[in-house]
Amino acid sequence: MPAATPARPLGFGLGLRPAHYTQILDGKPAVDWFEVITENYLVGGGRPLHFLDAIRARYPIVMHGVSLSIGSTAPLDLHYLDGVRALAARCQPAWISDHLCWTGTGAHNLHDLLPLPYTEEALAHVAPRIEKVQERLGQQLVLENVSSYISYASSAMTEWEFLSELVRRTGCDLLLDVNNVYVSSRNHGFDARAFIDGVPTRAVRQFHLAGHLDLGTHVIDTHDAPVCEAVWDLYAYAVERLGPVSTLLERDDQIPPLTELITELDRARAISHAALQQVAK
Amino acid sequence: MKLTDLQLLAQSHLLEGGDMPPALQDAIAAPASERWTIYVEAYRLRLTAALCTQYPTLTARCGRAVFGELAWRFIRAHPSTYRSIRDYGRELADLAHGDGATPELRLHGELARFEWLLAAAFDAPNVTACTVTALAELAPDAWPTLRFAAVPSLQRLRTTTNAVAVWRALRRALEEDPACGPLAEPVATDIAPVDWLIVRPQLETEFRSLPANEAAALDLALAGVPFAALCETLTATYGDAAALQAATWLKGWLTEGLLLRV
């Protein structure tokens, strides 16, 4: 698939969660865009699609999937992809993203984002699947780096080298989850800034920010807490390195009032603004 | 190890638990076992949380610890094959009911089935139901062969316990304290079976009990029995008033948005 025209940054967005539907429609909060979990809207009708349509009429939307399982050795689920394509036709997302991972094989779904070994074999397996997905969806796929707690003995390259090679082979773009970079860097002992330095600058379409649980010996990606200072620092570095990329704050558990998330999002705006000014000097 | 074999091995361990197979231990760089446990735990916790969300009043009835044991038995027996975790857990009612040897088990089964059907109605496809106005414009000779089907959100249930009353009480308790439980509402089984109708005409899901005669007639209509045949069936009970009774019920069903014309 030919490379698409680079998308204009959307600004600063939030993950759309049902607890905030009414407030968003009533209050028109200062959020530039919303990201929806694709699978939550692959339904026939009712409230999910009603609110998606109403919010889409007011804000740009990005579709973010959790079960594409692009790294699985099971065949691609074309029925699922057709559902994603139909939903995209309905809500016209700015782009469609999912994760570089596998979520199950055979007919199973483990509902978790399991890492791949970073090998030539995995590259040769995943790259054609990305191309097939892009053809089926009729657009570029944006792939996110996952948090991981294990690595494989067979890995022959770094995660960022693997991602970069996928970009080169398929023309896909990247969703750089800054929190995931931090979590994995702590768990595997690599330099988080080297990860950011190592991804192809023009391919980074979006940032994710989220909270995690720090257990000292290792870190677990929980999305149930505010972004920590170390991740804010890494975000500033990412903006300096990669520019004004669309930024999304995620919260999936212990979801606070919308105003609290908007305050946190404002901090992302401020850090991004300061980082860009720093670069301009 | 090939990628296919690695994924099959890792998945098998996540689904079945137990000790980590040596081959998987070799495939994962150290420190393997402690970090791999995060995935093992997350699998159980994530699916259990999904079932709690799907079955909030059953969770409150049982208490989180007992429900957690039930959920884990279910997860072991029914690995997810769904893309969306929202679709996981349909068969839990059967497990919760078990052999139905006690009133409490029968209540659990019916609570679970009721909650699943409410969820099924919640996001069922939107359709434009047939209306009274549309039928008023129908030519008289079209009525005998008039046939219907259920709108996608329509669900039917028969209870033999006071499951719906217990559901209402538990919902009220959960609104006051989402972490409540286990909650003991008296279970009643000395009641006649009750038929229930669940439907989502617009955005809000509604339900009501159905008198036995109306339930039987509705089920015939939903099975596509032509209107004339429906009236004939009702003659045994209602005699000359059968057509009037059928028309009265039909008007009500259309007003409730239950039917599609086929």
Side-chain angles (χ1 to χ4, degrees), chain A residues 47 67 73 105 109 111 151 153, chain B residues 7 11 27 29 46 80 83 204:
Chain A
R47 293 174 74 85
S67 60
T73 49
T105 189
N109 191 348
H111 298 287
S151 57
Chain B
Q7 291 186 354
Q11 176 170 281
R46 185 171 287 113
S80 174
R83 291 280 155 175
E204 302 303 326

Side-chain angles (χ1 to χ4, degrees), chain B residues 24 41 45 63 73 102 121 149 153 178 187 190-191 198 204 212 223 229 245:
Chain B
L24 184 59
E41 280 292 299
L45 292 173
R73 276 197 289 137
T102 67
S153 70
V187 54
D190 55 344
I191 56 175
I198 300 168
E204 302 303 326
Q245 180 61 70

Side-chain angles (χ1 to χ4, degrees), chain A residues 39 43-48 50 67-69 71-73 77 80 102 104-105 107-112 114-117 121 125 148-153 187 217-218, chain B residues 1-4 6-8 10-11 14-15 26-29 32 35-36 38-39 42-43 46-47 79-85 122-126 200 202-204:
Chain A
E39 287 75 6
V43 296
R47 293 174 74 85
H50 168 80
S67 60
L68 172 61
S69 201
S72 172
T73 49
D77 184 339
Y80 166 77
W102 65 286
T105 189
H108 293 115
N109 191 348
L110 300 164
H111 298 287
D112 204 346
L114 292 144
L116 286 163
E121 181 202 15
H125 174 68
S148 60
Y149 313 108
I150 57 155
S151 57
Y152 298 95
N187 289 339
T217 54
H218 57 282
Chain B
M1 188 186 302
K2 285 187 177 300
L3 188 58
T4 308
L6 173 65
Q7 291 186 354
L8 285 171
Q11 176 170 281
L14 285 174
L15 294 178
D26 289 346
I28 296 174
R35 301 282 171 82
W36 178 248
I38 296 170
Y39 292 102
Y43 174 68
R46 185 171 287 113
L47 292 187
S80 174
T81 56
Y82 300 99
R83 291 280 155 175
S84 173
I85 205 165
F122 172 80
D123 53 16
N126 301 329
R200 198 202 74 234
Q202 298 296 328
L203 293 182
E204 302 303 326

Side-chain angles (χ1 to χ4, degrees), chain B residues 109-192:
Chain B
E110 291 183 355
L111 262 183
R113 205 169 308 283
F114 187 60
E115 293 198 294
W116 183 266
L117 294 179
L118 287 174
F122 172 80
D123 53 16
N126 301 329
V127 291
T128 303
C130 184
T131 62
V132 174
T133 309
L135 284 198
E137 294 165 0
L138 208 61
D141 61 356
W143 276 85
T145 55
L146 187 60
R147 295 170 63 219
F148 298 99
V151 295
S153 70
L154 193 153
Q155 313 291 333
R156 290 272 287 106
L157 172 72
R158 174 171 286 187
T159 55
T160 59
T161 70
N162 58 336
V164 175
V166 171
W167 178 88
R168 281 197 178 97
L170 294 173
R171 288 291 300 182
R172 280 196 299 273
L174 285 167
E175 279 168 18
E176 288 173 14
D177 176 13
C180 70
L183 291 175
E185 288 289 319
V187 54
T189 54
D190 55 344
I191 56 175

